[in-house]
Amino acid sequence: MDLNQYCQDAAHRMVGRSDDNQGIFVETLLTHTLAELFRFKYPATPFASGELIEIDASADPGADRVGWQMIGEVGKFRTVADNGDDMPRIDLKGSYTSNKACTVSGYIEYTEQDLQAASMQRMFSISDEKGKAARMAWDRTLDDYIRVGNFENGENLPGLCNVPGRSDIAATAAWSTLTPSQICDEFSTVYDAIYSGTAGVMMPDTVVMPTRLRSLFKKQNSIAANTSIEGFLKETYPEIDKWVYNSGMNDAGRDGATCLLMYNRQRESMSGLMPEFIRPLQPQPHNLCWRVPFKSRWAGLRVNAPAMVATIYGV
């Protein structure tokens, strides 16, 4: 018998007599549990964190809808007759838009025995850890709402990847099959859709890419260029100051295709509307359990000009 097998057998050997049912196994006696608590890793939630869009919580939590006004001007001066009968009128124009607010909720639950068992282990508080889990679950939910929208229970609150009025472009082919030059040309097409679509008024400052593109973008741009595709694009478009790879973009495009998202994230362009941040309500007894509901209010996105958003799918 080799040493490894012997040690494994020893961990299960009985201490004491085997014929009087009084023997004990020593497996647990030979197991040492580390004092540190390790955690599972999950994908980042950059939309929910406010990194990729500002979250506006100024609306009252009791509001059924959240609206915003826009104002601009119309008309131009021109050469007219001396008597001024054909003088053009310069005036103001405005618009009002509103989104329906919806309640988003969930709960955590733990038993009296859970509390006592966690107290015995002295490694963590079960109520605190489940509260953290609820917050992380909310961040993942909000990240989805901002990226691809909320259409649950009849709601109609689009996200950035499907906001009506954006430029939605089909890639000529999967970018893994294209040359670096062709990839850069397609990227330029997305950029021009925003720049030309807003008559040069808005320039994108944010690009969110599927994680499947990361290794491709790290490849050398060309034999002559001592830089990667990503490095070349960053140098070519310095106004884009946020480049993020996000696993949620791997299926955020049309019909679940990979999708690259480009937009202007400044407050005057857009924000996420959250009348009420996630908060715990009063714990409720339920048999031998405690339930803690969490409540939030979400009213979708304020996108002042959808033309400042562009997507390309099938990359």
Side-chain angles (χ1 to χ4, degrees):
M1 180 183 297
D2 61 31
L3 179 62
N4 185 54
Q5 183 64 44
Y6 180 83
C7 291
Q8 290 179 358
D9 288 349
H12 294 82
R13 291 188 176 182
M14 187 173 287
V15 176
R17 293 175 56 182
S18 60
D19 60 349
D20 61 1
N21 297 321
Q22 300 298 312
I24 61 171
F25 285 94
V26 298
E27 179 178 11
T28 55
L29 299 179
L30 298 178
T31 302
H32 176 86
T33 301
L34 299 178
E36 182 177 356
L37 184 65
F38 298 93
R39 298 181 182 276
F40 292 106
K41 296 294 185 182
Y42 298 92
T45 53
F47 292 102
S49 70
E51 177 186 354
L52 299 180
I53 188 173
E54 181 174 322
I55 304 299
D56 186 342
S58 61
D60 191 286
D64 287 331
R65 303 187 69 87
V66 178
W68 62 95
Q69 303 180 76
M70 295 186 64
I71 191 170
E73 63 281 334
V74 63
K76 295 174 62 176
F77 283 81
R78 70 181 182 189
T79 302
V80 299
D82 290 344
N83 62 10
D85 285 346
D86 55 348
M87 184 167 44
R89 178 179 176 179
I90 312 298
D91 209 341
L92 297 175
K93 65 175 181 178
S95 67
Y96 183 82
T97 308
S98 67
N99 288 350
K100 182 179 180 295
C102 62
T103 298
V104 184
S105 184
Y107 73 90
I108 62 172
E109 182 178 86
Y110 46 84
T111 66
E112 288 287 338
Q113 180 59 29
D114 290 335
L115 294 172
Q116 292 170 339
S119 176
M120 175 184 169
Q121 291 177 350
R122 299 180 181 178
M123 292 187 68
F124 60 89
S125 164
I126 190 70
S127 57
D128 289 349
E129 289 298 325
K130 288 201 172 188
K132 292 176 183 177
R135 176 55 193 263
M136 292 176 66
W138 165 242
D139 284 348
R140 292 193 293 269
T141 301
L142 180 58
D143 215 66
D144 289 342
Y145 285 174
I146 295 174
R147 187 177 59 254
V148 295
N150 176 14
F151 302 97
E152 301 165 343
N153 290 333
E155 301 296 341
N156 184 23
L157 298 170
L160 287 173
C161 289
N162 48 25
V163 62
R166 77 193 186 285
S167 294
D168 190 28
I169 304 164
T172 56
W175 283 7
S176 60
T177 66
L178 303 182
T179 66
S181 178
Q182 290 172 323
I183 293 173
C184 292
D185 286 344
E186 295 229 316
F187 189 93
S188 178
T189 298
V190 183
Y191 182 97
D192 288 341
I194 296 177
Y195 188 74
S196 300
T198 60
V201 174
M202 301 298 300
M203 290 188 295
D205 60 9
T206 305
V207 173
V208 188
M209 301 163 285
T211 52
R212 295 175 186 174
L213 287 183
R214 190 177 188 278
S215 60
L216 177 65
F217 269 41
K218 298 296 181 180
K219 291 183 177 179
Q220 190 170 358
N221 183 33
S222 69
I223 297 177
N226 188 25
T227 183
S228 64
I229 297 173
E230 179 185 293
F232 174 80
L233 291 173
K234 287 183 176 180
E235 183 178 346
T236 305
Y237 301 98
E239 61 273 25
I240 301 178
D241 60 9
K242 186 70 71 174
W243 302 74
V244 175
Y245 294 98
N246 183 261
S247 60
M249 302 303 296
N250 290 334
D251 58 1
R254 187 182 301 184
D255 298 325
T258 53
C259 177
L260 181 146
L261 170 67
M262 187 182 296
Y263 60 100
N264 184 289
R265 71 177 186 278
Q266 302 307 310
R267 177 177 172 77
E268 61 267 21
S269 301
M270 63 176 62
S271 66
L273 303 175
M274 187 181 296
E276 184 177 16
F277 276 107
I278 189 73
R279 65 183 179 91
L281 303 183
Q282 190 71 23
Q284 303 170 358
H286 180 73
N287 295 330
L288 294 179
C289 302
W290 290 97
R291 285 185 177 180
V292 183
F294 288 77
K295 176 179 178 286
S296 179
R297 297 278 286 170
W298 174 246
L301 303 179
R302 169 186 60 82
V303 180
N304 291 350
M308 69 182 71
V309 180
T311 52
I312 181 169
Y313 63 92
V315 296

